[in-house]
Amino acid sequence: MQKTILTIANKNDDFCKHLEHAASKKNLRTINLCPEDFFDKIKVEFNISSGGSHFILKSGKKEIGIENVLAVFPRITNFTGDPKLRNSSNHIYTVSEWNSFYKGWLASLSIPVINLISPEYWQKQNLNPIDLNEFSSKLKLHIPAYIISNDSYDLKNFFLRHKKNVRFVSNSHAKVSYKIDTESDFKKLSHLGKYFPITLHQLPKGISYEVFYVGENTYTIDSQGKLSGAVPKKFMNDIFLISRKTGLRFASFEVVASEKKFFLTSVSMYPCFSRCSKSVVTKILNGLFENYLKI
């Protein structure tokens, strides 16, 4: 039977489209499970004694066992629950049960899972300067300054100190963040400090690069989507360190060159290729195949 790569992602995920194209050239197929399909298209069995699990994918009339799946690429952090139960009184409970199962299932698989993220980062899609601060003492890259406060005076000083160029980051919603670079934007935001603490971090001005981490290899991409050597190799050890500590096997790191300093501003746990040229995408995907699928 033809070998399969399983992705778990939302429809129209950029990465999945590129992966499917690259896999077909190696006589592999990809199957994507959207969150709403997951409940109907997979059968799972845990083996308590061995601590592992087996699963069977339903693809049309065919069933595909774990022995024919090379790797799993989970591209979502949490399920929103079985669509059939969203209007039921047990919706919140079923969502928490499915998410607990989902994380446990991924951790139990004997095949490569890219990424199998450490539990403390399960609710994250990106690591921002606050998340990265725990690594700062071991890094050569600089981490942007940040503040968490409900005091309008402190927030205003931070805003001005960093030349009115900061980003608001939600403390509870991974996708919510806004660039704040005008007085009017800041005033609107500062009013929220009456209700909850506001988190801001510095946005260093400079040239932005995206560094893709694949195994022990890195690929630095410039603003034109081409490979670049602009980020010195001495900083790559920082990328290896963060990846190992967080459980990331495939990630992208935003690095900004600003006034003779290099800042690490964010880490994406679910990289996409919107910034990359076609040749670079091919190179990165080949790196994934070679490092994790051994093909």
Side-chain angles (χ1 to χ4, degrees):
M1 180 179 283
Q2 188 180 27
K3 294 294 184 179
T4 299
I5 299 172
L6 173 63
T7 58
I8 304 170
N10 292 313
K11 291 178 180 177
N12 301 317
D13 185 296
D14 167 75
F15 170 80
C16 296
K17 293 177 181 178
H18 288 290
L19 183 66
E20 180 181 16
H21 179 70
S24 66
K25 292 185 176 181
K26 297 182 179 291
N27 196 31
L28 302 171
R29 68 174 167 186
T30 61
I31 294 178
N32 182 52
L33 289 181
C34 298
E36 56 268 30
D37 295 336
F38 189 88
F39 307 93
D40 296 323
K41 292 189 177 180
I42 195 163
K43 295 191 294 186
V44 177
E45 177 183 319
F46 277 98
N47 187 322
I48 304 300
S49 59
S50 68
S53 69
H54 299 278
F55 67 84
I56 296 174
L57 285 171
K58 301 175 189 177
S59 179
K61 295 182 179 180
K62 295 181 180 179
E63 290 192 342
I64 303 165
I66 188 174
E67 66 277 3
N68 290 307
V69 178
L70 290 175
V72 178
F73 286 81
R75 300 274 299 172
I76 58 172
T77 52
N78 289 299
F79 286 106
T80 55
D82 188 335
K84 299 170 188 174
L85 298 175
R86 282 183 188 162
N87 295 322
S88 75
S89 58
N90 294 322
H91 175 62
I92 294 176
Y93 172 74
T94 56
V95 167
S96 63
E97 285 292 308
W98 270 106
N99 281 317
S100 296
F101 158 76
Y102 174 56
K103 303 299 193 306
W105 171 65
L106 290 175
S108 73
L109 295 176
S110 57
I111 57 178
V113 177
I114 308 158
N115 293 301
L116 187 59
I117 298 167
S118 299
E120 60 266 40
Y121 305 106
W122 277 353
Q123 303 302 320
K124 299 281 186 179
Q125 291 186 324
N126 301 286
L127 300 181
N128 60 42
I130 299 167
D131 305 309
L132 296 169
N133 186 60
E134 67 173 290
F135 306 108
S136 60
S137 64
K138 300 177 181 178
L139 303 181
K140 293 183 175 67
L141 287 164
H142 295 270
I143 304 299
Y146 67 86
I147 185 173
I148 305 173
S149 178
N150 62 351
D151 186 294
S152 59
Y153 179 79
D154 289 343
L155 292 168
K156 183 66 176 288
N157 279 345
F158 184 87
F159 177 63
L160 295 176
R161 186 162 66 251
H162 294 289
K163 302 175 182 178
K164 302 180 181 180
N165 198 46
V166 300
R167 182 174 293 279
F168 163 74
V169 182
S170 169
N171 295 317
S172 58
H173 294 282
K175 292 184 178 181
V176 178
S177 71
Y178 301 100
K179 184 177 180 180
I180 307 295
D181 57 3
T182 66
E183 290 279 356
S184 61
D185 284 344
F186 178 80
K187 285 180 181 179
K188 293 174 186 175
L189 180 68
S190 62
H191 289 307
L192 297 177
K194 299 175 183 177
Y195 307 101
F196 54 80
I198 300 295
T199 300
L200 301 176
H201 69 73
Q202 169 196 10
L203 280 178
K205 290 184 177 180
I207 302 172
S208 176
Y209 300 93
E210 190 169 12
V211 182
F212 284 86
Y213 169 80
V214 182
E216 294 303 307
N217 298 318
T218 57
Y219 306 86
T220 300
I221 314 302
D222 63 19
S223 60
Q224 303 300 313
K226 298 178 180 179
L227 289 172
S228 168
V231 179
K233 288 185 178 180
K234 66 179 180 180
F235 295 127
M236 297 307 158
N237 286 334
D238 292 354
I239 287 171
F240 297 153
L241 170 68
I242 294 170
S243 298
R244 286 194 296 268
K245 292 289 187 181
T246 55
L248 294 170
R249 304 174 82 178
F250 174 50
S252 65
F253 294 69
E254 185 181 28
V255 176
V256 176
S258 175
E259 299 177 357
K260 298 183 180 180
K261 291 181 179 180
F262 285 83
F263 287 85
L264 176 59
T265 59
S266 68
V267 180
S268 173
M269 300 192 206
Y270 305 103
C272 64
F273 297 129
S274 57
R275 187 171 175 172
C276 302
S277 65
K278 288 183 179 180
S279 61
V280 168
V281 172
T282 299
K283 197 173 187 68
I284 293 171
L285 288 173
N286 283 338
L288 278 173
F289 290 145
E290 292 167 10
N291 274 273
Y292 299 126
L293 308 185
K294 306 303 178 187
I295 54 174

